[in-house]
Amino acid sequence: MAVKACLFDLDGVIVDTAKYHYLAWKRLANELGFDFTEQDNERLKGVSRVRSLEILLEIGGLSLDEATKEQLAAKKNVWYVESISTMDEREILPGVKSFFAAIRAAGIKTALGSASKNAMMILKNVGMVQSFDAIVDGNHTSQAKPDPEVFLLGAKALGLNPEDCVVFEDAESGIEAATRAGMRSVGMGSSEHLGQATIVISAMTEMSLERLIALGESN
Ligand code: BG6
Ligand code: MG
């Protein structure tokens, strides 16, 4: 099956904002009186803001009412937005720009499939809004990854079938979402977390148009 589109997660795939999310959640955890490690943070990758907070509180052994949870999620977001407000194109991850140039020149469509409600701000700051034929983010979805909704909406916006699309993801929940959407996937990171992906790479610099085409031709 020829690949007709690539659907990209944002945080940890296009830009390294995963670190800013982590630092803001860690700050909140510390304020609440417990520690939050990078290992714990793996569970939050790809997951919505509300669900991330629930996991964080579970790690800290805290149970809070809805109003407090809303306040805490808003507080974390203020810190996070502060970090991303000064981002510029230097924060685009290595290999992303050249891979986009290669696939777009070959007529392959691109879509964003992110859980973040801050996606547009980040894309604007790094100058990548025009790099996508469709943008689906946390403002358009009702189900968080590992639900396949975000990627199915991406394929639909491009007018393509799931089997035409390849998903790029750094989160375990995102790879599961891709699989459930009936799409092939490229896991970005370690096979320890991303073993379910069709292939795993450590950075976009390892990707090429040829490798993408080969992925479409594999079983
Ligand atoms: C995902 C991140 O892309 O977006 C998660 O991997 C994050 O860590 C989620 O919680 C929601 O982001 P935001 O910007 O709407 O809080
Ligand atoms: Mg991600």
Side-chain angles (χ1 to χ4, degrees):
M1 180 69 64
V3 178
K4 293 184 185 156
C6 293
L7 310 189
F8 297 90
D9 172 48
L10 176 67
D11 297 317
V13 168
I14 301 290
V15 284
D16 191 15
T17 35
K19 69 181 179 215
Y20 297 133
H21 278 296
Y22 170 59
L23 291 173
W25 285 125
K26 189 179 170 66
R27 184 171 168 185
L28 188 66
N30 293 165
E31 242 184 39
L32 293 169
F34 60 95
D35 200 21
F36 178 64
T37 65
E38 283 197 58
Q39 184 64 26
D40 294 331
N41 190 52
E42 284 302 318
R43 291 180 60 196
L44 270 54
K45 285 188 179 171
V47 174
S48 72
R49 196 181 308 163
V50 176
R51 182 67 196 124
S52 294
L53 177 65
E54 283 168 0
I55 297 171
L56 187 94
L57 294 175
E58 195 184 298
I59 290 167
L62 294 178
S63 153
L64 302 171
D65 60 75
E66 286 308 312
T68 312
K69 283 201 266 185
E70 226 168 86
Q71 275 173 16
L72 294 179
K75 192 172 187 177
K76 179 266 172 180
N77 194 52
V78 168
W79 293 331
Y80 177 67
V81 168
E82 215 171 271
S83 323
I84 60 173
S85 63
T86 52
M87 284 178 79
D88 61 31
E89 68 162 352
R90 287 171 300 184
E91 296 207 45
I92 297 172
L93 284 166
V96 168
K97 279 180 151 182
S98 55
F99 183 59
F100 266 69
I103 60 175
R104 298 195 94 205
I108 293 170
K109 299 278 181 214
T110 54
L112 186 82
S114 168
S116 175
K117 294 187 171 169
N118 295 300
M120 274 317 268
M121 177 179 184
I122 294 170
L123 291 183
K124 277 182 194 153
N125 285 355
V126 303
M128 279 194 70
V129 176
Q130 305 304 328
S131 303
F132 294 93
D133 298 299
I135 292 177
V136 182
D137 66 24
N139 299 297
H140 308 111
T141 51
S142 57
Q143 304 296 320
K145 299 170 188 174
D147 189 280
E149 184 188 24
V150 67
F151 296 131
L152 292 174
L153 287 174
K156 195 172 168 199
L158 296 173
L160 295 172
N161 294 319
E163 59 268 30
D164 301 325
C165 305
V166 172
V167 168
F168 288 74
E169 260 292 350
D170 70 322
E172 205 171 333
S173 59
I175 295 296
E176 190 182 330
T179 307
R180 282 168 61 180
M183 299 175 183
R184 288 162 207 244
S185 58
V186 177
M188 295 188 48
S190 85
S191 351
E192 192 193 326
H193 303 293
L194 307 170
Q196 298 308 310
T198 315
I199 61 166
V200 178
I201 58 174
S202 58
M204 200 65 92
T205 44
E206 289 173 33
M207 213 50 214
S208 62
L209 177 61
E210 291 70 29
R211 201 162 176 195
L212 181 72
I213 291 169
L215 184 62
E217 285 161 358
S218 66
N219 288 315

